[in-house]
Amino acid sequence: MLNIHNLSISFQGEYLFEDITFKLGLGDRIGLIGKNGAGKSTMLRILAKEQESDTGQMAADKDLKIGFLKQDIDFDFGKTVLEESYEAFKEIKACEAKLEEINVQLAERTDYESEAYNQLMIDLNDIQHQYEILGGYNYQGETEKILQGLGFKREDFNKLTDTFSGGWRMRIELAKLLLQNNDLLLLDEPTNHLDIESIIWLENFLKNYTGAVVIVSHDKMFLDNVTNRTIEISLGRIYDYNKPYTKFLALRKEMKVQQLAAQKNQEKQIQQTEKLIEKFRAKASKASMAQSLIKKLDRMDRIEVDADDNSVMSVSFPVSITPGKVVVELENVSKNYGDLRVLTNVDLSIARDTKTAFVGQNGQGKSTLAKIIVGEIEHQGHMKLGHNVQIGYFAQNQADYLDGNKTVLDTMIDAANESNRSKVRDILGSFLFRGEEVEKYVKVLSGGERNRLALAKLLLQPLNVLIMDEPTNHLDIKSKNVLKDALSKFEGTLILVSHDREFLQGLADTVYEFKDQKIKEYLGDIDFYLEQRNLENLREAEKRTVIEKQPKANNNKKSYEDQKKLKALNNKLSNIESKINQLEKDIKNDDVALATNYDETVSDPKFFDGYQSKKAELEKFMIEWESIQEQIDHFNN
């Protein structure tokens, strides 16, 4: 499908990657991973032929069709969601225009016996045939199905794209790509603006995709569920294995241990040989043997251990001043967006030095409430900040507020004041912007680098309350871990909006679930919340939020046959729930084994196969559970 040979590219004299070679084949679902700034997005642009490499060649199949979802997109306004989505079908739309033009002419003309009129009829037949082959009679239904899969409701279809946020417009762009008949999909952080339900839908779509897919993502669960191959870009090299992310990490670790052992043995041989050379050099009769040993050393291929890029950012959020005991108080807070009601009569009190998580599906009001607290949007009801409260706010699209025409250094200097302007370079250094990197323009930074810069700007303002809305979007896995550590050490008040269970673990001591315009408090950490919901992870929590329905009261007597069917369904549901509970326990035990005794656990070659098999079986039972529950709901309605 696509061959890449000896590809190199450099910026300001330094190689992002050098002389790398790999192939993409049909059915490959590749996770392209690496640190922020390692060159992942650059690699996608090269594969999409939007950027040229310095050296190397790419050989592709003839007529290879490539679809590319970028982190930043240019969007034309003035179209509805459906109209913009239909842009995916340029050939079909061209046929429709021709058919309309011909039909207008046929309606206006009266020279039915003329050669020109006959030619119009022939053209009409040809174009209708082409229209059918292209899928012209099916594309509207396919468009609606994919839009709904990505979270749009039918009432959204005829709304102007101007009325949607950048995240939702990104979903429209993703829908257009999925509707096109591409051979290769290049997806740069496709899950950043999706809620859990849409992520699960996208996973299933990509699993069944017949072409090749290359995905840049820092969502470990998404990579494990979708990919069958991992390519890591690190320090200018690539590491390519036919394994999904978690198995790739285990294999890389195992290979490095083997390399270190082999290198150690070789060093011993080299030292022994060098001692013999020194010994034989002193004797004339052994001089020839010494020369032979020297040549042997020169010919020896020295074993090299793969280098790791272990540079990480250094973050700490100092508390400015001590606020009052209650930092945020809300009473009967409601919010509408036009006819859409998001929050209704919400009461909330956040105490000083607490750490709180907002969880739930997108569109349930998490970000809205965060914006109300920071005073960014108007609302109904009463909201009051406590004494001496100073809020640091990281919005979900925080990086969009950066000026692309400024340098990294100018961005920070302009945000600084007299008291901290001298610390700007030190702060940038702790966020891995060092040396000439501070002179880079913001517009050339990767998504992760922009998020790091936005986080660095937070340190220039006094704060004792941190409100962070999806702060891990675009951050590489090491940076996510550093940020988590910094937030756990933060001595002020923290409010986190996130879908990432792993990130939330250990950070929040209170969880608020957003659902049906209300919030529900769970006085415990994220694991306590999941335990209360009797679920293993946030994915299933948000998935069940959609399918859980309260059965309506129904006093009508059911027929005997209906009662038998309902009883059978309930028995089947109970049996499946028992299996789900057991699988969830088994997976949890495996997670504990990985966390507490990683080396011994991964040394068992069957462990990961069994682990993934349990996850796949759990997903199958969950789908079956949904189907049976829907049938039971149907009987009860």
Side-chain angles (χ1 to χ4, degrees):
M1 180 178 282
L2 186 63
N3 292 343
I4 295 88
H5 184 67
N6 287 343
L7 207 67
S8 299
I9 192 163
S10 61
F11 284 111
Q12 297 177 341
E14 290 189 15
Y15 280 103
L16 265 182
F17 35 81
E18 185 176 13
D19 295 333
I20 61 173
T21 297
F22 61 95
K23 295 180 180 180
L24 299 180
L26 202 66
D28 276 341
R29 295 191 294 275
I30 297 170
L32 184 62
I33 65 171
K35 291 188 61 177
N36 295 141
K40 304 184 296 296
S41 295
T42 300
M43 175 64 76
L44 291 188
R45 286 195 295 271
I46 291 172
L47 295 178
K49 299 178 183 176
E50 291 194 359
Q51 182 173 336
E52 290 188 2
S53 60
D54 295 338
T55 61
Q57 299 86 37
M58 283 203 312
D61 289 350
K62 189 179 179 182
D63 300 325
L64 179 72
K65 293 177 68 177
I66 299 174
F68 181 22
L69 179 73
K70 308 172 191 176
Q71 286 185 18
D72 302 307
I73 57 172
D74 296 322
F75 221 90
D76 294 327
F77 296 117
K79 295 177 182 174
T80 67
V81 171
L82 274 180
E83 287 169 344
E84 182 62 40
S85 300
Y86 290 159
E87 290 296 307
F89 304 100
K90 294 191 181 299
E91 290 180 280
I92 290 176
K93 300 303 287 183
C95 282
E96 285 183 342
K98 289 177 183 176
L99 287 172
E100 185 177 354
E101 183 183 339
I102 291 173
N103 282 320
V104 167
Q105 291 187 52
L106 289 174
E108 293 175 349
R109 296 179 69 144
T110 56
D111 53 337
Y112 307 121
E113 304 299 326
S114 70
E115 188 175 329
Y117 193 92
N118 184 53
Q119 185 60 48
L120 281 175
M121 295 297 295
I122 294 171
D123 291 344
L124 179 66
N125 184 62
D126 289 345
I127 295 170
Q128 282 179 330
H129 181 63
Q130 184 186 2
Y131 185 72
E132 184 177 359
I133 290 173
L134 290 171
Y137 298 108
N138 303 317
Y139 80 95
Q140 292 178 336
E142 282 296 308
T143 301
E144 292 184 9
K145 184 170 73 174
I146 283 185
L147 284 173
Q148 287 179 309
L150 289 172
F152 289 94
K153 298 175 183 176
R154 284 194 172 274
E155 54 263 35
D156 295 329
F157 291 171
N158 292 316
K159 292 179 182 176
L160 291 176
T161 59
D162 313 38
T163 63
F164 290 88
S165 67
W168 283 96
R169 293 201 294 271
M170 184 70 78
R171 293 187 193 208
I172 299 171
E173 197 68 17
L174 177 58
K176 286 160 62 177
L177 279 185
L178 300 183
L179 286 163
Q180 293 166 351
N181 189 25
N182 291 305
D183 305 299
L184 172 62
L185 278 179
L186 307 173
L187 307 177
D188 198 352
E189 297 284 7
T191 65
N192 271 356
H193 300 288
L194 300 182
D195 58 29
I196 300 299
E197 195 70 19
S198 298
I199 290 173
I200 292 171
W201 180 89
L202 180 60
E203 284 178 357
N204 291 327
F205 183 95
L206 294 176
K207 284 176 188 175
N208 298 314
Y209 191 70
T210 55
V213 186
V214 181
I215 304 166
V216 171
S217 178
H218 302 303
D219 184 332
K220 292 186 283 187
M221 187 177 290
F222 181 73
L223 290 173
D224 276 339
N225 288 341
V226 172
T227 63
N228 55 19
R229 181 177 165 194
T230 301
I231 297 178
E232 180 184 21
I233 302 177
S234 178
L235 299 173
R237 295 182 59 187
I238 64 166
Y239 301 90
D240 186 356
Y241 297 101
N242 290 320
K243 300 285 182 186
Y245 179 76
T246 300
K247 290 186 178 181
F248 162 81
L249 285 184
L251 187 60
R252 278 271 280 135
K253 184 177 181 181
E254 180 185 331
M255 291 188 69
K256 190 167 182 180
V257 169
Q258 293 173 353
Q259 286 178 337
L260 285 167
Q263 188 186 56
K264 192 174 181 180
N265 289 333
Q266 189 183 62
E267 284 297 325
K268 285 182 181 178
Q269 292 178 0
I270 291 171
Q271 289 172 9
Q272 290 172 354
T273 303
E274 287 174 340
K275 286 179 182 178
L276 286 174
I277 291 170
E278 290 301 316
K279 184 178 178 182
F280 293 158
R281 271 178 175 163
K283 298 179 181 179
S285 60
K286 302 287 187 178
S288 60
M289 186 170 291
Q291 289 300 315
S292 176
L293 290 173
I294 290 170
K295 289 178 182 177
K296 179 183 176 183
L297 279 183
D298 290 340
R299 290 195 301 269
M300 184 180 290
D301 289 330
R302 303 294 175 109
I303 295 172
E304 293 183 1
V305 177
D306 293 338
D308 288 329
D309 187 351
N310 292 314
S311 57
V312 293
M313 62 182 187
S314 173
V315 189
S316 64
F317 296 99
V319 173
S320 54
I321 54 176
T322 302
K325 287 186 178 180
V326 176
V327 297
V328 180
E329 233 178 341
L330 296 96
E331 186 177 348
N332 290 330
V333 167
S334 300
K335 177 61 184 176
N336 289 41
Y337 292 101
D339 296 331
L340 177 64
R341 173 60 67 98
V342 179
L343 298 170
T344 301
N345 297 330
V346 169
D347 296 326
L348 176 65
S349 179
I350 303 287
R352 181 179 64 204
D353 300 342
T354 54
K355 290 182 167 61
T356 303
F358 289 174
V359 302
Q361 281 190 304
N362 280 359
Q364 294 292 331
K366 303 185 303 295
S367 297
T368 295
L369 192 59
K371 291 175 181 176
I372 288 172
I373 293 172
V374 299
E376 192 170 292
I377 57 176
E378 295 181 355
H379 61 280
Q380 296 82 48
H382 179 70
M383 194 281 294
K384 178 185 176 184
L385 296 182
H387 178 64
N388 280 340
V389 166
Q390 296 177 328
I391 295 178
Y393 175 49
F394 187 93
Q396 189 172 147
N397 59 336
Q398 189 70 42
D400 294 343
Y401 293 107
L402 301 173
D403 187 344
N405 294 316
K406 287 184 180 179
T407 65
V408 170
L409 183 59
D410 287 341
T411 298
M412 289 290 285
I413 289 174
D414 291 347
N417 54 42
E418 289 299 325
S419 63
N420 57 26
R421 192 164 286 126
S422 61
K423 300 177 183 177
V424 161
R425 283 186 179 271
D426 290 337
I427 293 173
L428 284 173
S430 68
F431 281 83
L432 303 182
F433 294 107
R434 296 163 182 159
E436 294 181 356
E437 289 184 335
V438 301
E439 301 300 335
K440 281 184 177 179
Y441 282 96
V442 170
K443 61 187 175 186
V444 304
L445 298 179
S446 69
E449 287 172 321
R450 289 186 206 179
N451 259 27
R452 290 210 313 263
L453 179 57
L455 284 169
K457 278 186 69 180
L458 264 183
L459 298 186
L460 295 174
Q461 66 183 85
L463 55 88
N464 48 32
V465 176
L466 262 177
I467 300 178
M468 310 198 84
D469 191 352
E470 299 290 357
T472 61
N473 279 358
H474 301 295
L475 288 184
D476 61 56
I477 291 159
K478 286 183 178 178
S479 295
K480 281 167 67 171
N481 293 337
V482 171
L483 177 60
K484 179 176 178 177
D485 184 57
L487 294 177
S488 67
K489 293 175 180 176
F490 178 56
E491 295 180 354
T493 307
L494 177 65
I495 299 174
L496 268 175
V497 180
S498 179
H499 295 297
D500 191 332
R501 173 193 174 180
E502 185 182 33
F503 184 74
L504 288 174
Q505 280 178 325
L507 278 184
D509 46 43
T510 304
V511 175
Y512 286 95
E513 180 186 38
F514 285 64
K515 182 182 176 184
D516 299 331
Q517 304 171 22
K518 299 287 187 179
I519 64 173
K520 182 178 179 181
E521 183 182 49
Y522 290 82
L523 294 173
D525 62 9
I526 196 69
D527 289 325
F528 173 79
Y529 161 72
L530 294 171
E531 185 181 323
Q532 293 298 301
R533 292 291 304 271
N534 193 26
L535 300 167
E536 181 57 29
N537 57 49
L538 277 179
R539 286 170 164 256
E540 299 304 333
E542 296 189 8
K543 189 174 179 181
R544 290 193 187 180
T545 296
V546 172
I547 62 175
E548 284 177 352
K549 297 176 183 176
Q550 294 298 324
K552 296 178 181 177
N554 191 345
N555 296 321
N556 297 331
K557 290 186 178 180
K558 295 182 175 62
S559 69
Y560 177 71
E561 286 299 319
D562 282 351
Q563 290 178 21
K564 276 179 64 179
K565 289 178 183 178
L566 186 58
K567 185 176 180 181
L569 285 170
N570 278 315
N571 288 339
K572 194 172 182 181
L573 187 71
S574 178
N575 185 38
I576 288 174
E577 285 179 342
S578 176
K579 291 177 181 178
I580 287 172
N581 287 335
Q582 186 58 49
L583 280 168
E584 288 178 336
K585 287 178 184 176
D586 292 343
I587 292 170
K588 191 170 186 177
N589 289 336
D590 287 348
D591 287 337
V592 171
L594 276 172
T596 57
N597 198 1
Y598 182 83
D599 291 334
E600 187 176 330
T601 302
V602 299
S603 63
D604 181 2
K606 295 181 181 178
F607 174 81
F608 281 114
D609 289 337
Y611 185 64
Q612 293 299 328
S613 175
K614 290 171 192 171
K615 284 191 168 184
E617 196 172 3
L618 178 61
E619 182 67 18
K620 182 188 77 173
F621 281 131
M622 288 302 305
I623 293 170
E624 194 173 351
W625 184 93
E626 289 178 43
S627 175
I628 295 170
Q629 184 65 59
E630 286 176 358
Q631 292 177 61
I632 291 173
D633 289 344
H634 177 72
F635 272 103
N636 287 329
N637 288 337

